[in-house]
Amino acid sequence: MSADRDPAAAPGLRERKKARTRQALSDAAVALFLERGFDAVSVAEVAAAAEVSKPTLFRYFPAKEDLVLHRFADHQDESARVVAAGRRAGTAPLDALSAHLLDGLARRDPVTGLCDHPSVLAYLRLLYGTPALVGRLHAYRVRSEEALAEALAAGAEGDPLLARLAAGQIVTVLRVLAEENTARIAAGETAGAVAADAVAAAGVAFRALREGLPY
């Protein structure tokens, strides 16, 4: 789940309609991919299922992989937004990110890996079982890291190189924590059974970050 946005920046009617269309296209695509497999479904079939033309579909999603990764799109700059909001509230970046992660774990936010809803597990099997999607996910994470580095460098610390190094470590920590949770749930454990360990692991990880990073 994303950090709060500035109400003054709320999207207009046109933007909301585009967002609904984009979501409908993604949902139609994911349903087909889950049923038949990512490689077995063509873009033309997705467009037909969503009742739009191929050119229209490509206006919303430049690549077939983006139809699946749409669920991660709003998370690309999530850490950056958390840092910016925390800074405005006088909260250190790592403290803001740690609190945000713990909140996500409590809510069983799928992005934390601590979610055992059948639809989420099916989506993750599709994602991590398709090499093209794994590769595209890496590109999303790179952009997330870049956005976080910019947010960190915008603070009093100000060193772009140090901000990039810190962003790389933070994004990696969040990824590893989520993958650990996902792996245990995929192996048959429930989110409830994993939760306490997930919270403890988050504490260990952010303590290590605090001891090694000046943020």
Side-chain angles (χ1 to χ4, degrees), residues 76-214:
Q76 282 190 109
D77 65 346
E78 183 171 1
S79 291
R81 286 186 274 114
V82 168
V83 167
R87 185 170 278 127
R88 289 194 296 270
T91 303
L94 283 178
D95 291 340
L97 289 166
S98 177
H100 186 71
L101 173 58
L102 293 176
D103 178 67
L105 291 171
R107 290 183 287 101
R108 302 294 191 265
D109 187 338
V111 79
T112 68
L114 191 65
C115 183
D116 55 8
H117 192 283
S119 64
V120 172
L121 297 180
Y123 173 82
L124 292 175
R125 285 194 295 271
L126 168 68
L127 176 61
Y128 291 109
T130 308
L133 295 176
V134 174
R136 197 68 170 181
L137 178 59
H138 174 70
Y140 273 67
R141 285 171 172 156
V142 168
R143 289 194 288 273
S144 176
E145 183 178 315
E146 291 170 348
L148 178 56
E150 290 180 6
L152 292 172
E157 301 83 4
D159 185 331
L161 176 59
L162 188 58
R164 288 181 60 193
L165 293 170
Q169 293 179 62
I170 292 167
V171 169
T172 297
V173 161
L174 294 174
R175 173 182 61 80
V176 170
L177 290 173
E179 289 177 350
E180 287 292 315
N181 297 335
T182 298
R184 289 183 60 177
I185 290 174
E189 296 185 72
T190 66
V194 177
D197 287 344
V199 170
V204 169
F206 272 86
R207 184 162 57 252
L209 286 172
R210 288 188 182 93
E211 291 174 353
L213 296 174

Side-chain angles (χ1 to χ4, degrees), residues 21-44:
T21 299
R22 189 174 287 106
Q23 186 64 55
L25 291 171
S26 176
D27 289 345
V30 170
L32 286 174
F33 298 152
L34 287 173
E35 179 183 352
R36 295 163 50 193
F38 180 79
D39 295 324
V41 178
S42 69
V43 172

Side-chain angles (χ1 to χ4, degrees), residues 1-21:
M1 186 173 180
S2 301
D4 293 339
R5 293 181 181 274
D6 183 352
L13 176 60
R14 187 174 183 178
E15 288 71 23
R16 293 198 300 272
K17 289 179 67 175
K18 286 183 178 179
R20 286 196 295 270
T21 299

